[in-house]
Amino acid sequence: MSSTMHMHGGIGESIKRKEDGRFLRGKGNFLDDIVLPNMLHMAILRSPYAHARIKSIDTAAASAKPGVVAVVTGELMAQHKLAWMPTMSGDTQAVLATDKVRFQGQEVAAVIAETKAQAEDALASIEVDYEVLPAVTSPDGAKATGSALIRDDKEGQADNHIYHWESGDEGTTKAAFAKAHKVIRLHTFYPRCHPAPLETCGCIADVNPATGKTTIYMTSQAPHAIRTVFALVAGLSEQNIRIVSPDLGGGFGNKVPVYPGYVVATAASLLLGRPVKWIEDRTENLISTGFARDYHMTGDLAVDENGKMLALHVHLDSDNGAFFADAQPSKFKAGLFHIVTGSYDIPTAHITADGYYTNKAPGGVAYRCSFRVTEASYLIERLVTNAAIELGIDQAEFRKQNFIQPEQFPYHSATGWVYDSGDYPKAMDVALDKLGYAELKKDVEARRKKGEVTGIGIASFTEVVGAGPGADYDILGLRMFDSAELRVHPTGKALLRMGTKSQGQGHETTFAQIVAEELGIPAQDVSVEEGDTDTAPYGLGTYASRSTPVAGAATAMVARQLREKARKLAAHLLEADEEDLVWERGKFYVKGSPERSKTIQEAAFAAYTNLPEGMQPGLEGVHYYDPPNMTYPFGTYAVVVDVDKGTGQVKVKRMVAVDDCGVRINPMIVEGQIHGGLAEGFGIAFMQLITFDDEGNCIGSNFMDYLIPGSWETPKFELGETTTPSPHHPIGAKGVGESPTVGSPAAYVNAVIDALSPYGITNIDMPVTSDKVWAALRSKGVTE
Amino acid sequence: MRVNGVERSADVEPRVLLVDFLRSNLLLTGTHIGCDTTSCGACTVRMDGDPVKSCTVLAVQAEGKEIKTVEGLANGAALAPIQVGFHEEHGLQCGFCTPGMMMVTSALLERNPNPTDDDIRWAISGNICRCTGYMNIVKAVKYAAKMQSEAAKAPEHAAVAGGGE
């Protein structure tokens, strides 16, 4: 028995998770666990080169290998008009290469065989004749005169430039800079990293030749959107497509896009009339699927003589890889980067962004992040700490001086956002108090005098999550609403289905708790289902911390809708006027006579057995929620580090994280998510790097080169909280899963820079590895 | 080999990995594949009591050995203490690394019934979790240790609680 099974499980209760049992017993249902009768296996041949022309592909030998049923090439896909597919950013992406390969690891051909081993064995027998071309591996390389043209497939594409995008006001920003007392500049590169969920991506496509029904089991964070994309791209009738996203072993944005493997497996199943399974190995996952970041940013912050921020200017160059396949709302080319003024009352700002094609994997995904808000938060928080150091002001004090104040909410930012609510000074105070900041600063000073290298880093991030209001937020035209369908059965038990898809966030528990709160049915009596497009209502999926802000709101709304019907039923049973009934979680009673009451379960039973005249039977409903605004979680993180001068090694001594995500539905789950995000932020700050050599070979193609933080190096976390409800969300919640990944990298790096600041070191790009720290210290003449 | 107490045998190619044998031949899909390079530990099982990464053991190497997988942890409806610990302390989120984590830490607890935080962090340092930041996994193992030691003190009571729904 779980120790919390007896609890009602309303909002604010840390009940244990309902979904745990199957995972604890090894009975989860992950993609690779699914076996269908008569199933074939697919393996993909990938390009060894970053940029090469394909002169010929010979599949004859591979086709003759044992167990091989088919070998698919781009030529075959082209016959079905499927050699290319649209991306989520309005570009095209090769499914199987026909003309050129444009990044190392690009899909060239696929073998379908009776067993996985046979499919993989046969790959070696496919002969591809390549003419190797020069590779472009950075925006600077992409801009250079005479650099190779990557997208010669696109008519009118004369260079490697993808987009230019601007936000804010150039004129007022320039004017403010002209009057500035001081301008602090930071140029920093937020390098490419990869979400690397522990379960890789894959699918099983099962086209039933008799009925035409296409069922695709897929590691997808957004199954409904995928269904519509498949209908549009493949010309299939949408009612004949069923996407089933089973248990997902993490996602972190990596499982949002449509990958070529999904399309090829589906085409193969259609052609062969048998189910086809494809699952990546780790290297395929790291070198070909949705990466993150890869932003080269230059920020200028103008301040007056009192340290008041006057204006911000940012330019960024985005490295988008071979196809512009960023997963983001279509209106915003650089995602939500223009939240870059962050937690500060900066009167004016101007942001310019340029995107470039390079010979690297496509698919800039929001890795545990709301569409590039991580890059924005990193830049402003690094810049603010650098400014404080340069101005000789304490970095906490400098932040407080410039925070948007609680009375300024709703706050209209210089780049057009309307922040819903916040109390930044309070979160800062809780963090400083937890840290023992005043004492700690004295300690740092004392130890520095002894020659030790130690520092404190602070980051006071503001996130923008919960995409989003339909007028501004869409993916391929699909408005980013979400949904909840609630069915209350005659015995008072309920089934809740949503358009989102948990990847470990605990939706089966959290969303049952919203029903428990709003409709009074205990959380244990509410089953939550997601991920099957034949049964779940249409929604845009789980990413960008949108599940609680959008589907959570839909859940509250549908529960309230059913509560109103239940009120009518209770009034009927009690022979009372509806208006005379008082709702108390779980029951209605007659005003002034609390003993005259009917429970929600009794009302539910009546919905099927004893109805008032003219009322439709049943107690079911669905709500599609289009949020009126985004939500703006925030917090202050503080890190203490020691640096070893001899080795450059950084030791994170403390990590204090104070989060304000509005109302917390299940505090245990919220804290678990914060822990996880802080660990991923630690990995990004110090370890995780996908980089490339000059020929475009991916360095970081396995877990021996792409370093993921383990238990030994990951610091211990000290959490704190404040609660500022969202004024427009039905239960005041804001979303939290990504705040720690958004906020923490800057806090970690700020601590290192603070430690190194006495030596005049102002920046080290992530990951902050020992060799970089060592070299920075040596460059300033610091030795042991 | 004996797997979770049951004798199992099959003819396999010499190259077949233990993890593939468990998953494909025996349909014990609780043991997961995360990396192929012995880095992540999602495939950890116990072989003659030792935790091993089954992606780096050939099935034929396990001939005659005693193998235990996550499916062998619970005793019917009753979860083992390590499973109860992970549930009570929220030691899992997506659940993909969890079987490997539990196989490693159940071995730890047999050797060290009262581990410190550092003992636990060291024991699981070859197993990657992308969701929890390890904080609650450490707590989960301590919970299980406490449960086991209390059961040892009062052997007349059931050694394990049920749970997990």
Side-chain angles (χ1 to χ4, degrees):
Chain A
M1 270 309 142
S2 165
S3 62
T4 59
M5 285 225 7
H6 64 283
M7 293 167 78
H8 181 79
I11 289 172
E13 291 182 47
S14 285
I15 58 165
K16 306 306 175 196
R17 296 203 321 169
K18 287 150 51 67
E19 48 268 82
D20 283 356
R22 63 182 185 271
F23 300 118
L24 292 169
R25 291 173 184 275
K27 299 291 182 191
N29 185 39
F30 297 100
L31 192 278
D32 200 26
D33 302 343
I34 299 169
V35 176
L36 299 182
N38 213 22
M39 186 170 79
L40 295 165
H41 297 263
M42 184 175 94
I44 293 178
L45 181 74
R46 294 174 183 279
S47 167
Y49 302 110
H51 199 189
R53 195 163 298 287
I54 296 174
K55 293 163 77 177
S56 66
I57 302 177
D58 185 347
T59 60
S63 301
K65 287 281 168 188
V68 172
V69 176
V71 181
V72 183
T73 61
E75 199 182 328
L76 180 67
M77 293 297 282
Q79 288 168 19
H80 299 270
K81 297 193 168 53
L82 287 172
W84 292 80
M85 62 180 184
T87 71
M88 283 191 267
S89 283
D91 195 4
T92 50
Q93 175 174 356
V95 175
L96 291 177
T98 48
D99 52 341
K100 285 203 308 189
V101 286
R102 293 176 171 84
F103 68 94
Q104 185 185 56
Q106 186 179 337
E107 299 79 0
V108 174
V111 174
I112 291 102
E114 296 291 342
T115 71
K116 189 179 177 193
Q118 287 170 331
E120 288 176 356
D121 286 349
L123 291 181
S125 302
I126 300 175
E127 285 180 29
V128 186
D129 191 7
Y130 292 104
E131 177 196 342
V132 180
L133 302 168
V136 174
T137 59
S138 68
D140 280 348
K143 284 182 234 179
T145 354
S147 74
L149 178 63
I150 297 168
R151 296 301 300 276
D152 50 352
D153 59 292
K154 293 184 75 163
E155 226 167 282
Q157 181 80 35
D159 56 24
N160 294 318
H161 187 253
I162 305 172
Y163 69 83
H164 176 78
W165 194 81
E166 296 194 17
S167 179
D169 190 316
E170 185 178 9
T172 54
T173 304
K174 271 192 172 155
F177 269 88
K179 287 187 291 182
H181 165 66
K182 208 171 175 95
V183 174
I184 296 95
R185 165 167 287 201
L186 174 68
H187 176 72
T188 186
F189 172 43
Y190 201 135
R192 180 175 283 230
C193 53
H194 192 282
L198 206 49
E199 179 206 34
T200 57
C201 301
C203 72
I204 304 170
D206 181 16
V207 183
N208 185 323
T211 64
K213 180 87 176 185
T214 300
T215 303
I216 311 173
Y217 301 86
M218 186 188 290
T219 52
S220 175
Q221 296 175 224
H224 282 98
I226 298 264
R227 184 185 74 194
T228 303
V229 170
F230 266 62
L232 295 173
V233 172
L236 299 168
S237 290
E238 195 166 356
Q239 85 280 11
N240 281 337
I241 308 172
R242 175 185 175 209
I243 310 288
V244 181
S245 188
D247 286 329
L248 295 183
F252 315 117
N254 185 235
K255 292 171 181 168
V256 171
V258 175
Y259 293 122
Y262 301 158
V263 179
V264 181
T266 305
S269 179
L270 184 66
L271 294 174
L272 299 169
R274 291 172 66 180
V276 175
K277 179 191 266 191
W278 166 67
I279 183 125
E280 299 170 331
D281 64 23
R282 177 55 58 189
T283 294
E284 293 182 285
N285 178 251
L286 289 173
I287 68 173
S288 73
T289 62
F291 72 93
R293 328 298 191 230
D294 223 345
Y295 264 21
H296 300 256
M297 305 178 282
T298 304
D300 288 301
L301 181 64
V303 295
D304 71 11
E305 52 281 4
N306 300 316
K308 170 84 187 77
M309 297 176 190
L310 298 175
L312 177 71
H313 177 263
V314 179
H315 176 73
L316 69 89
D317 280 344
S318 168
D319 184 334
N320 294 88
F323 310 102
F324 184 31
D326 285 26
Q328 61 194 10
S330 56
K331 189 172 171 183
F332 306 106
K333 298 291 181 201
L336 310 186
F337 183 85
H338 50 304
I339 189 79
V340 68
T341 54
S343 306
Y344 308 99
D345 186 16
I346 305 178
T348 179
H350 184 226
I351 290 106
T352 56
D354 287 278
Y356 293 92
Y357 289 120
T358 60
N359 290 116
K360 293 155 75 172
V365 297
Y367 167 16
R368 210 165 176 158
C369 153
S370 184
F371 314 118
R372 305 287 188 181
V373 66
T374 309
E375 290 90 323
S377 176
Y378 183 76
L379 180 70
I380 186 68
E381 289 305 316
R382 282 282 300 108
L383 187 52
V384 165
T385 281
N386 272 25
I389 291 169
E390 194 170 328
L391 297 167
I393 309 173
D394 173 82
Q395 56 178 320
E397 198 49 46
F398 183 52
R399 284 182 166 84
K400 283 185 169 183
Q401 280 174 21
N402 286 285
F403 273 156
I404 299 160
Q405 294 302 311
E407 62 275 13
Q408 289 177 274
F409 290 91
Y411 174 78
H412 293 256
S413 87
T415 51
W417 300 99
V418 183
Y419 294 23
D420 60 348
S421 65
D423 190 341
Y424 304 156
K426 191 167 158 193
M428 170 69 90
D429 286 341
V430 173
L432 296 185
D433 191 46
K434 218 170 169 57
L435 199 62
Y437 189 59
E439 284 305 305
L440 197 64
K441 278 206 71 168
K442 284 184 209 154
D443 181 58
V444 164
E445 287 312 312
R447 290 176 56 200
R448 281 181 182 173
K449 283 194 181 118
K450 287 192 276 178
E452 292 179 37
V453 184
T454 181
I456 305 167
I458 293 174
S460 296
F461 66 93
T462 290
E463 255 219 296
V464 52
V465 307
D472 283 334
Y473 296 86
D474 69 272
I475 291 207
L476 294 171
L478 300 167
R479 284 177 164 228
M480 296 182 75
F481 62 86
D482 226 290
S483 60
E485 181 205 78
L486 184 57
R487 299 179 177 185
V488 182
H489 305 319
T491 54
K493 315 287 180 181
L495 172 62
L496 175 71
R497 286 167 164 159
M498 296 180 304
T500 45
K501 175 62 204 169
S502 183
Q503 308 127 44
Q505 292 92 334
H507 289 182
E508 288 169 47
T509 305
T510 304
F511 292 96
Q513 288 184 254
I514 297 176
V515 175
E517 185 69 33
E518 297 291 342
L519 198 53
I521 297 173
Q524 287 299 338
D525 292 344
V526 183
S527 280
V528 177
E529 288 183 1
E530 301 171 299
D532 184 338
T533 58
D534 266 10
T535 57
Y538 204 103
L540 269 284
T542 292
Y543 44 86
S545 288
R546 64 186 301 281
S547 298
T548 293
V550 192
T555 301
M557 299 305 277
V558 74
R560 287 173 191 180
Q561 179 189 323
L562 298 200
R563 192 171 74 202
E564 286 318 299
K565 182 165 183 184
R567 177 187 295 275
K568 290 184 173 39
L569 288 157
H572 169 66
L573 294 174
L574 291 163
E575 294 176 352
D577 272 349
E578 263 182 69
E579 296 74 40
D580 291 339
L581 294 190
V582 180
W583 168 252
E584 181 187 295
R585 194 174 74 184
K587 65 179 181 191
F588 293 97
Y589 64 86
V590 180
K591 205 183 292 175
S593 318
E595 72 290 349
R596 286 186 65 206
S597 70
K598 288 291 168 192
T599 64
I600 184 70
Q601 289 81 3
E602 288 169 316
F605 196 67
Y608 298 87
T609 58
N610 177 12
L611 294 156
E613 196 62 37
M615 181 188 275
Q616 270 189 38
L619 190 56
E620 301 187 358
V622 62
H623 190 96
Y624 293 84
Y625 189 80
D626 183 357
N629 189 7
M630 305 289 278
T631 65
Y632 296 75
F634 61 93
T636 289
Y637 294 165
V639 171
V640 184
V641 299
D642 284 350
V643 178
D644 184 320
K645 277 192 284 188
T647 63
Q649 192 177 19
V650 176
K651 176 80 189 163
V652 175
K653 307 289 286 181
R654 293 183 66 191
M655 174 14 135
V656 170
V658 176
D659 273 278
D660 191 323
C661 56
V663 171
R664 295 182 176 206
I665 299 162
N666 183 319
M668 175 192 81
I669 288 177
V670 168
E671 289 185 5
Q673 289 206 272
I674 293 168
H675 288 155
L678 294 174
E680 290 203 43
F682 173 83
I684 292 162
F686 294 109
M687 301 167 74
Q688 296 176 205
L689 175 68
I690 301 284
T691 187
F692 297 82
D693 69 12
D694 290 343
E695 292 172 346
N697 294 302
C698 178
I699 318 291
S701 63
N702 58 69
F703 278 170
M704 292 183 291
D705 295 323
Y706 184 61
L707 302 179
I708 303 285
S711 55
W712 196 245
E713 49 277 356
T714 300
K716 291 167 189 170
F717 308 120
E718 304 165 51
L719 306 189
E721 64 176 283
T722 60
T723 303
T724 312
S726 169
H728 63 77
H729 187 278
I731 57 171
K734 286 189 171 185
V736 74
E738 296 164 341
S739 292
T741 331
V742 169
S744 70
Y748 292 117
V749 178
N750 280 343
V752 178
I753 296 304
D754 182 58
L756 300 178
S757 62
Y759 308 99
I761 295 162
T762 55
N763 187 48
I764 295 176
D765 285 335
M766 296 185 291
V768 180
T769 50
S770 301
D771 62 309
K772 288 188 199 168
V773 176
W774 186 90
L777 283 166
R778 292 305 175 278
S779 77
K780 302 290 180 183
V782 183
T783 59
E784 284 182 78
Chain B
M1 67 181 85
R2 280 177 76 77
V3 181
N4 299 329
V6 180
E7 201 64 42
R8 308 298 295 255
S9 66
D11 289 326
V12 296
E13 278 188 79
R15 66 174 177 173
V16 170
L17 300 170
L18 178 57
V19 66
D20 288 323
F21 179 72
L22 294 171
R23 289 181 54 84
S24 301
N25 292 58
L26 305 187
L27 300 179
L28 294 171
T29 54
T31 301
H32 299 141
I33 300 169
C35 73
D36 320 301
T37 50
T38 330
S39 309
C40 80
C43 63
T44 307
V45 300
R46 294 180 67 182
M47 184 157 80
D48 286 348
D50 292 330
V52 296
K53 293 181 177 177
S54 63
C55 75
T56 320
V57 176
L58 294 168
V60 292
Q61 286 178 289
E63 187 170 353
K65 308 275 190 192
E66 186 81 36
I67 302 293
K68 189 166 175 179
T69 70
V70 64
E71 288 90 347
L73 280 176
N75 182 9
L79 294 179
I82 193 67
Q83 292 169 303
V84 176
F86 270 74
H87 177 61
E88 291 293 331
E89 295 290 0
H90 187 31
L92 69 155
Q93 290 180 32
C94 81
F96 199 78
C97 77
T98 313
M101 287 286 181
M102 292 193 300
M103 298 319 286
V104 166
T105 50
S106 63
L108 169 73
L109 290 178
E110 280 174 26
R111 283 158 210 190
N112 179 357
N114 190 22
T116 64
D117 283 15
D118 274 358
D119 292 338
I120 297 165
R121 282 184 179 257
W122 186 247
I124 61 172
S125 61
N127 290 59
I128 289 172
C129 171
R130 296 291 284 151
C131 301
T132 65
Y134 307 103
M135 293 286 289
N136 289 347
I137 293 180
V138 173
K139 283 192 208 164
V141 178
K142 294 193 114 165
Y143 187 101
K146 188 157 171 265
M147 220 176 136
Q148 281 184 342
S149 74
E150 279 168 7
K153 275 186 243 155
E156 69 272 20
H157 294 304
V160 275
E165 200 206 54

